[in-house]
Amino acid sequence: EEPQKKKFLVKFSGGNYTEFEPGRMRFHRRDFSLEILNTSRGDGRLYEYSVSKGQEEEVWQIQLEVFEPVADPSIRILHRELSNGSCSLALRCSSERGDEVSYSWEGRENGSRGICAGSGGSLNLSYSLRSAAFGCVCTARNPVSSRDAAFHSGQCGSERP
């Protein structure tokens, strides 16, 4: 059986410390924290923090997850139907980049909270063209970022959102 190997990032002993990757990581002596500079996906792994006191050793394990931030989302009209002065739309919100992205919809103007409320990347709308103009906002978010895109009701008759 192969032995387990550990790679040290910082060693602290007798009031002095040694950083083994000084260009990649920075040790903060005031609070014993370790900062990873220019984080990449490869940094997402299990880390271990240990303190030796005489015969005993205390060990903590920390799983670091690295997420790519969400890119600006875009809203596309998948289906449009104009009839008898009303508009029916199927909208799709998507972001080109980002890990574990979730989507939600809400209205932010002219009483559109109910008509625009939803979760997930799709939203179906149906409204009268005679009603006051309103806007729906799609929010794409993940654990590290959040970005918005807006759709305005006046775009029912146009080809591009």
Side-chain angles (χ1 to χ4, degrees), residues 13-29:
S13 179
N16 297 316
Y17 67 92
T18 303
E19 290 184 57
F20 292 99
E21 293 186 40
R24 285 264 307 126
M25 314 222 171
R26 186 178 305 137
F27 176 66
H28 298 282
R29 189 177 178 154

Side-chain angles (χ1 to χ4, degrees), residues 4-159:
Q4 297 285 326
K5 292 184 180 182
K6 291 182 184 179
K7 181 178 171 185
F8 286 95
L9 301 175
V10 177
K11 241 184 179 177
F12 187 89
S13 179
N16 297 316
Y17 67 92
T18 303
E19 290 184 57
F20 292 99
E21 293 186 40
R24 285 264 307 126
M25 314 222 171
R26 186 178 305 137
F27 176 66
H28 298 282
R29 189 177 178 154
R30 70 182 180 281
D31 60 3
F32 281 76
S33 64
L34 183 65
E35 178 183 5
I36 300 174
L37 307 172
N38 300 317
T39 308
S40 69
R41 288 186 191 278
D43 295 319
R45 60 181 178 259
L46 186 66
Y47 290 86
E48 192 172 274
Y49 174 81
S50 64
V51 177
S52 297
K53 296 177 182 176
Q55 290 183 288
E56 293 184 352
E57 182 179 46
E58 294 177 353
V59 179
W60 293 268
Q61 291 189 332
I62 302 156
Q63 179 65 48
L64 178 66
E65 294 182 50
V66 179
F67 295 93
E68 180 180 29
V70 173
D72 287 332
S74 61
I75 299 174
R76 288 187 344 189
I77 298 173
L78 299 179
H79 177 75
R80 174 187 299 127
E81 192 174 314
L82 290 163
S83 71
N84 297 330
S86 69
C87 179
S88 294
L89 294 170
L91 304 178
R92 179 83 182 150
C93 180
S94 60
S95 176
E96 293 291 319
R97 287 185 323 279
D99 296 316
E100 296 188 24
V101 181
S102 65
Y103 299 92
S104 62
W105 295 83
E106 68 177 353
R108 294 192 178 159
E109 55 190 52
N110 295 335
S112 59
R113 290 203 186 277
I115 194 169
C116 294
S119 61
S122 299
L123 180 68
N124 293 315
L125 290 175
S126 187
Y127 57 93
S128 169
L129 293 173
R130 291 180 293 280
S131 62
F134 63 89
C136 296
V137 175
C138 167
T139 302
R141 69 171 41 91
N142 70 4
V144 296
S145 63
S146 176
R147 307 293 282 220
D148 292 338
F151 172 83
H152 296 284
S153 62
Q155 293 173 302
C156 185
S158 68
E159 285 301 314

